[in-house]
Amino acid sequence: MLKNPKYLAIVSALCMALIFLTACSSKPAEVPGGQAGPAESLSGKPLFVYCGAGMTKPFGEIAEAFKAESGVEVEVAYANAAQIQTQIKTTQEGDLFIAGSVEELNPVKDVVAASKELVKHIPVLAVKSGNPLKITGLKDLTKEDVEVVLGDAEATPIGKIANKALTDLGVLAEVNVIARTATAPEMITALSVDQCDAIIVWKENVSGSGIEIVNTTDLDTQIKKIPAATLSFSKNTETTAALLKFLDTDQAKSIWEKYGYEVVN
């Protein structure tokens, strides 16, 4: 046995150092500032988001990218504005509302704690590829042989925009509107399968073959901005803040742009 006090002090110091190093190695990786990295601190934590159905593709990709980076379990409810507004008011649950326009926050403004504008939502006039009926603007929708499908003006931002634009031109009553849909993708389907000749829809929804956008300025005054609104009863403040931060990244912005949106500067 070591009896020399000098040797005992050395052994004791070495043991204390070993214990300290072992304890440090078991801690989560840290980032500057002394806090655990985001993937370590947020992994498995929940986040509930409401999002307009017309933004399913871009926001779905953003949500997946955010989950891959942070580990957050993101649940997204896609629906039209009226359905989301009703659900928010009825359930008093959720963290964020990605709305089709700032105006869609008005019915739930009492439970919106804060909001930030993300990208521009651009309405367009779309027709079949080749534009067989030679539609050049909104006034051409009044032609006798043109059948039009629009969004539900009571439930969707794009439906309200269509009504406003056609009313401003004084032609709404003359347009042969054969159907109203609850979501923008439903209008795309109607035009794709030859159920109508023209639609007023969001720019990002026009994709694939068989459809083209009419080059007109008739809808330029109807461009909206998409907000991300934090709900006052959110219980997941940490993951909500993380997603809002992620929405400011170049990665998130590039996804919006890929689908035809313009980032708000």
Side-chain angles (χ1 to χ4, degrees):
M1 293 181 64
L2 296 171
K3 295 183 179 181
N4 188 314
K6 179 178 179 181
Y7 292 144
L8 287 174
I10 294 173
V11 171
S12 178
L14 289 172
C15 288
M16 290 298 292
L18 181 61
I19 291 172
F20 177 76
L21 290 173
T22 301
C24 288
S25 66
S26 65
K27 292 182 180 180
E30 295 189 347
V31 295
Q35 296 180 342
E40 185 73 34
S41 63
L42 298 179
S43 182
K45 292 187 177 181
L47 181 66
F48 187 88
V49 183
Y50 299 98
C51 183
M55 297 174 279
T56 299
K57 289 184 179 180
F59 192 77
E61 190 170 328
I62 288 171
E64 285 298 318
F66 173 65
K67 180 179 179 180
E69 179 174 295
S70 66
V72 171
E73 293 296 326
V74 184
E75 181 179 355
V76 187
Y78 297 102
N80 67 43
Q83 292 169 331
I84 291 174
Q85 291 157 1
T86 298
Q87 188 172 348
I88 288 174
K89 288 186 284 189
T90 302
T91 66
Q92 296 285 290
E93 294 178 347
D95 301 303
L96 279 172
F97 177 17
I98 310 298
S101 70
V102 174
E103 290 81 358
E104 297 309 315
L105 299 182
N106 290 335
V108 293
K109 62 183 180 181
D110 291 344
V111 294
V112 172
S115 68
K116 60 184 294 183
E117 295 175 348
L118 302 174
V119 291
K120 294 179 182 179
H121 220 180
I122 303 172
V124 296
L125 174 59
V127 297
K128 299 171 187 176
S129 289
N131 196 0
L133 298 182
K134 306 304 179 185
I135 296 170
T136 60
L138 295 184
K139 288 185 177 180
D140 286 343
L141 300 183
T142 63
K143 292 180 179 179
E144 186 177 355
D145 55 347
V146 177
E147 295 183 332
V148 180
V149 170
L150 300 177
D152 183 347
E154 299 299 322
T156 66
I158 193 62
K160 295 174 184 177
I161 284 171
N163 271 21
K164 178 70 165 57
L166 293 169
T167 298
D168 288 350
L169 287 174
V171 299
L172 178 60
E174 300 173 47
V175 176
N176 182 18
V177 181
I178 62 171
R180 296 269 185 172
T181 71
T183 66
E186 289 175 298
M187 283 187 279
I188 292 293
T189 299
L191 185 58
S192 298
V193 299
D194 291 330
Q195 291 180 345
C196 65
D197 302 300
I199 58 177
I200 295 175
V201 72
W202 298 118
K203 179 181 178 182
E204 73 274 5
N205 296 128
V206 181
S207 60
S209 59
I211 300 175
E212 67 178 62
I213 294 173
V214 175
N215 184 17
T216 176
T217 59
D218 288 349
L219 291 163
D220 286 1
T221 59
Q222 305 299 326
I223 293 174
K224 303 295 181 180
K225 292 179 181 177
I226 293 172
T230 305
L231 302 176
S232 59
F233 39 71
S234 171
K235 297 178 181 178
N236 303 304
T237 55
E238 188 178 14
T239 51
T240 298
L243 177 55
L244 289 172
K245 184 176 180 180
F246 183 77
L247 288 170
D248 278 334
T249 65
D250 290 341
Q251 182 179 3
K253 291 176 181 178
S254 67
I255 293 173
W256 285 118
E257 290 171 342
K258 182 174 74 172
Y259 287 92
Y261 294 83
E262 294 182 15
V263 175
V264 174
N265 295 320

